[in-house]
Amino acid sequence: MLINVLNGSLKKVAILSNELPNAPSYYNDEFHDYLEQGATTFSFTVAKVINNQLQDYTQFLSDQSYFSFRKNGRDYLMTPSSEQSVHETSTEISFFCVSLDRELINEQANSLTNTASHNIQWYFDQMGLISRTQITIGINEVSNLTRVINYDAQESKLSRLISVINNFNAEFDFVTTLNNDGSLGTVVLNIYKENDGQNAQGVGTKRDDVRLTFGKNIEDVEVDVSDDGFFNAAYLTGADGFSWKNYDFSYKNSDGVEEFYKRKGSEIAYAPLSAKMFPSQLKTDKGDIWTNSDRTTEYKNANDMWGYIVSQFKQYAYKQITYTVTPSSTLVNQLVGDGRPLQKGDTVIIQDDNYMDIDGNVGLILSARVSEIITSDTNPANNKIVFSNYKKLKSEASSDIKAIVSQLVNDATPYFADIATSNGVQFKNGTGSTILSAHIYKGSATTETIAESYEWSKDGTVVANAQTITVDASGVADKAVYSFKATVAGKVVASQSVTITNVDDGTSPINLVIESSNGYQFKNNIINTTFTAILYQNNTEIDRDGTEFAYIWTKTNSDGTVDTAWNLAHQTSQKSITITNSDVWQRATFDCTAEPLN
């Protein structure tokens, strides 16, 4: 990344770069892009002394400097600002910068006494929040809304700006445009309706093209459940003893089922679905099934009391579930979905099939927003994406999501190959023939999948493009390896091989069979089995103790490439080897060759 160094007049005076030759470099960099604050921070360090020589560019690095750059398709102008915005030693200088105007950060907004309802622009103008800055308002999705807002004390203009926007149930983003020389062009404040998980997206994009999955670009998904503050019935009293006894209210969920109610003649509001899920008594047909909470409110009318208790039921009538998703560090700059990296505010779907609900349904599906992005050019292992606004999705709630998840599971399920023979795999004295048939199966399915095409090879040379081939003994001098590849949707999905032998001296050949202590197919990445090479001659096992032959194991990856590192690690003769999930990703083929020691 190229960083423009600007002076106090926002004129370009130097550059920093880790790619350009002879340019001053930077290190210990960390870039944070925050959704909630609508801003970014950037910290980095530059060496002042190289080979015991103070560098000339140091004169351009000070507390009066600004820094601009382009990152992930967006422009940024950064201002050193914090309790320690600049830290300088005898050998280096470090900066902590923010992407906001110094006036917003340091100037104070005064108290405001107001009794009328105004739009958001009125509050900006009345308190001079952006009028004396280079900031202009671009998108304003709440321009038609009005609010009555008062402020009793002073606070920074930035804090006041955020407060006003929050009062309008909105979120925001600053968009900077740089001139060609790296100096500041424009700063636009875009204001969006707050993300509601349904109709309003807010900052960012609803990325329907992206599905993040555990084991691929998600390293871990954690779920924590708390019943702190739980209740599903409430005896409510208004301010000054106000009673709502003569009022009737009902709240239905998205499925049209009554989720909360308050009946006329009663002071109590109920959450019946919660009581059904979490009754207070083990025997729900006897006694009181409700967990009650008596509350006195500040409200003086029934509608406000109802709105209050509905919001409380939504928060406390069910167990409070907290999700924590840990993405891989490479996801930060990874092109996902339709080819764009994730940006702050983006909403994505996250899937983990290592969860099962009480009905036996497999798979946890979450909707989440990108709330913070952390990147480092010089320490990419520190790259991180932070998610928030988690929402558990039901696979049956959306046919689109269900289809997508089904497709994801189907795509991740490997094929297994098998070769059937009509007359075995051994010839004697050059006579006879056998038919080899190629078969593939999806996962643990017992029904065969018919591939689009099959390719047979003999000792590595393609001999036929068909599902079955006939092998004549006359074509096998001593032994030959026949293998096939099966193609589905233009991709090779499975392969298998078999050795055909021809015995001319009347002596039965030695056959090697690999036995597995725990089968050959595994699910959910739980793999633990022992492979043992068994030698047979004249239908009798030989070399039981593994002292007469050397056993060399080899592994071929699911894409057909030889796993050289694994083979080198297992080149020592072993009659039995243990295979775990560290040895297999989706699918692998293991072979063993036995050679006489004498």
Side-chain angles (χ1 to χ4, degrees):
M1 182 173 71
L2 187 148
I3 302 175
N4 300 297
V5 182
L6 312 178
N7 62 17
S9 301
L10 296 180
K11 300 297 183 182
K12 181 177 177 180
V13 293
I15 62 170
L16 304 173
S17 175
N18 291 338
E19 289 83 28
L20 295 178
N22 302 320
S25 60
Y26 58 93
Y27 52 95
N28 291 341
D29 60 298
E30 193 164 276
F31 177 86
H32 290 248
D33 200 0
Y34 299 96
L35 171 63
E36 186 175 350
Q37 290 81 9
T40 60
T41 64
F42 181 53
S43 58
F44 65 98
T45 301
V46 179
K48 295 167 43 181
V49 176
I50 300 177
N51 296 328
N52 296 320
Q53 181 68 42
L54 179 66
Q55 301 299 299
D56 292 340
Y57 58 73
T58 303
Q59 63 182 307
F60 302 116
L61 302 174
S62 71
D63 58 346
Q64 299 181 45
S65 301
Y66 293 85
F67 305 94
S68 68
F69 50 83
R70 187 169 182 81
K71 187 176 183 68
N72 293 333
R74 294 188 61 168
D75 291 339
Y76 296 92
L77 177 68
M78 310 301 294
T79 306
S81 180
S82 71
E83 292 182 356
Q84 192 177 70
S85 57
V86 182
H87 176 68
E88 188 169 4
T89 70
S90 300
T91 58
E92 61 184 20
I93 182 169
S94 301
F95 294 90
F96 185 91
C97 308
V98 298
S99 63
L100 296 170
D101 188 278
R102 277 199 175 104
E103 180 179 322
L104 274 179
I105 300 169
N106 297 318
E107 285 196 8
Q108 298 293 301
N110 295 320
S111 59
L112 175 68
T113 301
N114 170 52
T115 58
S117 186
H118 300 284
N119 62 25
I120 196 169
Q121 184 69 60
W122 184 88
Y123 289 100
F124 286 170
D125 295 341
Q126 190 72 16
M127 294 180 282
L129 298 182
I130 61 173
S131 57
R132 292 189 293 275
T133 69
Q134 299 188 58
I135 302 171
T136 58
I137 295 180
I139 298 171
N140 186 357
E141 294 183 350
V142 297
S143 59
N144 62 328
L145 301 181
T146 62
R147 296 285 190 273
V148 179
I149 309 174
N150 287 275
Y151 292 100
D152 297 330
Q154 279 190 336
E155 60 184 332
S156 71
K157 286 188 173 181
L158 176 60
S159 297
R160 183 65 55 83
L161 178 75
I162 294 175
S163 175
V164 171
I165 292 174
N166 288 341
N167 270 282
F168 278 82
N169 302 110
E171 52 190 54
F172 64 101
D173 187 24
F174 287 103
V175 178
T176 300
T177 302
L178 300 176
N179 297 319
N180 291 334
D181 61 355
S183 60
L184 178 63
T186 61
V187 179
V188 176
L189 170 62
N190 290 325
I191 304 172
Y192 303 90
K193 291 181 180 178
E194 187 177 48
N195 181 285
D196 59 8
Q198 296 177 337
N199 300 317
Q201 167 59 34
V203 176
T205 306
K206 190 173 184 294
R207 296 292 299 272
D208 292 328
D209 59 305
V210 176
R211 295 296 181 272
L212 306 179
T213 56
F214 172 75
K216 183 178 180 182
N217 37 32
I218 296 297
E219 294 182 355
D220 195 17
V221 177
E222 300 175 61
V223 181
D224 293 293
V225 181
S226 170
D227 62 356
D228 186 38
F230 174 84
F231 72 100
N232 49 34
Y235 186 98
L236 232 61
T237 303
D240 301 325
F242 174 81
S243 172
W244 66 337
K245 185 174 182 178
N246 294 324
Y247 293 87
D248 188 90
F249 295 100
S250 178
Y251 178 93
K252 294 183 178 180
N253 61 21
S254 58
D255 296 325
V257 179
E258 187 175 52
E259 188 171 7
F260 315 128
Y261 67 78
K262 186 268 173 193
R263 301 293 187 239
K264 189 174 182 179
S266 172
E267 303 277 4
I268 305 176
Y270 296 95
L273 298 185
S274 167
K276 184 178 180 180
M277 295 173 63
F278 310 109
S280 61
Q281 302 290 334
L282 292 179
K283 292 186 177 182
T284 58
D285 59 336
K286 295 181 180 180
D288 180 13
I289 65 171
W290 308 95
T291 301
N292 188 63
S293 174
D294 293 343
R295 301 187 174 208
T296 300
T297 75
E298 62 182 11
Y299 303 108
K300 296 182 179 181
N301 67 77
N303 288 327
D304 286 345
M305 291 173 66
W306 176 244
Y308 162 76
I309 201 59
V310 166
S311 67
Q312 292 295 291
F313 275 155
K314 287 183 176 180
Q315 184 173 359
Y316 296 109
Y318 303 98
K319 301 295 179 69
Q320 299 171 56
I321 303 177
T322 303
Y323 300 97
T324 304
V325 173
T326 304
S328 62
S329 61
T330 57
L331 182 61
V332 168
N333 298 313
Q334 185 178 352
L335 301 180
V336 293
D338 60 13
R340 295 174 290 151
L342 294 179
Q343 302 284 347
K344 69 179 179 184
D346 284 356
T347 300
V348 298
I349 301 299
I350 299 169
Q351 175 202 349
D352 186 348
D353 288 336
N354 286 347
Y355 282 87
M356 180 182 295
D357 65 19
I358 59 175
D359 296 319
N361 298 313
V362 175
L364 175 64
I365 308 171
L366 300 174
S367 170
R369 291 187 79 195
V370 177
S371 61
E372 182 182 354
I373 298 177
I374 305 170
T375 60
S376 174
D377 293 341
T378 57
N379 298 292
N382 294 338
N383 290 353
K384 185 177 182 181
I385 291 180
V386 179
F387 293 103
S388 63
N389 296 80
Y390 291 104
K391 181 180 179 182
K392 184 178 180 180
L393 304 178
K394 296 180 181 178
S395 59
E396 66 271 20
S398 168
S399 58
D400 291 338
I401 292 174
K402 187 174 182 179
I404 290 169
V405 173
S406 177
Q407 186 62 46
L408 286 170
V409 173
N410 184 67
D411 291 345
T413 303
Y415 287 87
F416 295 94
D418 184 39
I419 297 177
T421 67
S422 63
N423 193 29
V425 294
Q426 298 177 21
F427 300 126
K428 285 189 178 182
N429 301 319
T431 60
S433 65
T434 188
I435 298 174
L436 303 182
S437 301
H439 304 278
I440 61 172
Y441 302 86
K442 185 76 167 177
S444 59
T446 56
T447 303
E448 177 185 359
T449 298
I450 303 301
E452 293 176 355
S453 63
Y454 303 86
E455 180 184 276
W456 282 95
S457 298
K458 175 186 176 183
D459 294 331
T461 301
V462 176
V463 295
N465 290 291
Q467 186 174 6
T468 63
I469 62 171
T470 300
V471 178
D472 292 318
S474 59
V476 180
D478 180 22
K479 66 177 181 178
V481 177
Y482 283 84
S483 61
F484 81 87
K485 296 179 181 179
T487 300
V488 175
K491 180 182 178 181
V492 175
V493 297
S495 61
Q496 187 60 280
S497 62
V498 65
T499 300
I500 306 293
T501 59
N502 189 358
V503 181
D504 294 323
D505 57 2
T507 302
S508 176
I510 298 174
N511 295 319
L512 188 152
V513 176
I514 298 176
E515 293 187 353
S516 173
S517 64
N518 198 23
Y520 301 91
Q521 298 183 19
F522 306 93
K523 290 185 177 181
N524 299 325
N525 202 33
I526 301 174
I527 303 171
N528 191 352
T529 191
T530 299
F531 287 161
T532 302
I534 309 294
L535 297 181
Y536 292 95
Q537 189 174 39
N538 293 322
N539 296 321
T540 302
E541 182 181 353
I542 63 174
D543 195 29
R544 286 178 178 269
D545 56 3
T547 58
E548 300 178 12
F549 287 79
Y551 299 86
I552 305 301
W553 295 86
T554 58
K555 173 189 171 186
T556 304
N557 296 318
S558 58
D559 59 1
T561 60
V562 175
D563 193 332
T564 304
W566 191 95
N567 293 342
L568 288 173
H570 295 79
Q571 61 183 343
T572 304
S573 175
Q574 301 176 74
K575 187 175 176 66
S576 297
I577 61 171
T578 298
I579 302 298
T580 67
N581 58 344
S582 64
D583 299 299
V584 180
W585 170 246
Q586 292 188 341
R587 180 174 63 85
T589 301
F590 294 90
D591 293 303
C592 182
T593 302
E595 299 289 344
L597 291 175
N598 298 320

